[in-house]
Amino acid sequence: ILLFSKNKNVKLNKIPLSEKAIKEYRYQDEIGKFRRGILLDKTRGTNIYDITTPSGTVLSGPWMVNENKFQELRENGGIYWTSGGDEQPYGKIYLENSRGQIPSDWIDKEYGTNQQAAIALEKLLGYRAFDFSKSVPLIKHFINIGSSKDDIILDYHAGSGTTAQAVLELNNEDGGSRKFIICEQMDYINTVTNKRIEKVIQV
């Protein structure tokens, strides 16, 4: 599958937060739910300056942000201080400001299997057309992270038409205007591929 984007600076998109990721936002203040962001890091921190904790202890870093940024966070209530033991500051990262999470390179059955895809295609067409077709959720996942809502998706080995179905479903779900170009030289292009696209459009 090839993705043709109008944006020359193409990069992978983020995906919606998983249930596990949402659970990380387990703290809450008057603004909303947030998770802690590391500010004091002896390995990655590069900024050295003194900060006085609420109890009067002085911490010198190394900090992940410069002193001006730290003071800005502090003045705006953006610091969460741990209590008990070593008193340390953390930045507040609010759930409402989240733009999603970086997609993992681990793909599991969450995105469907070939067997499930074959069964779904059988239900759509009324007969067993392919034994191991691609999974629609899997292709939708790749399109989501690798393209924008107005890009062109090219599949030059279209097979049963999974890519076309994925594009059509995504456009219905998020109001996108993606287009697709599919190529297939086998004789089932009329009995399977095109028929599948027609069925999906009618749904």
Side-chain angles (χ1 to χ4, degrees), residues 53-64:
T53 72
S55 65
T57 302
V58 176
L59 301 175
S60 299
W63 305 100
M64 296 292 289

Side-chain angles (χ1 to χ4, degrees), residues 95-202:
L95 177 59
E96 66 177 20
N97 296 329
S98 172
R99 296 182 178 179
Q101 64 187 57
I102 297 173
S104 171
D105 58 2
W106 173 258
I107 302 295
D108 59 18
K109 61 182 181 180
E110 173 188 357
Y111 296 103
T113 65
N114 295 121
Q115 290 84 354
Q116 290 171 336
I119 293 172
L121 181 58
E122 181 177 359
K123 290 181 179 178
L124 182 66
L125 298 180
Y127 63 94
R128 188 78 166 192
F130 272 64
D131 288 328
F132 300 101
S133 54
K134 296 187 294 291
S135 165
V136 172
L138 177 64
I139 302 305
K140 287 166 70 173
H141 174 65
F142 288 145
I143 294 172
N144 262 329
I145 65 176
S147 68
S148 300
K149 292 182 180 181
D150 60 350
D151 283 344
I152 301 173
I153 317 300
L154 168 63
D155 188 345
Y156 51 88
H157 291 295
S160 66
T162 306
T163 299
Q165 180 173 347
V167 171
L168 291 168
E169 288 189 2
L170 280 175
N171 284 343
N172 284 333
E173 292 169 8
D174 60 19
S177 57
R178 304 171 187 84
K179 298 178 178 63
F180 62 83
I181 301 172
I182 60 172
C183 305
E184 182 54 63
Q185 63 180 353
M186 301 301 289
D187 56 5
Y188 52 70
I189 187 170
N190 292 318
T191 58
V192 178
T193 315
N194 289 344
K195 188 175 180 181
R196 179 181 196 170
I197 296 171
E198 292 171 359
K199 289 276 189 180
V200 175
I201 291 174
Q202 293 170 5

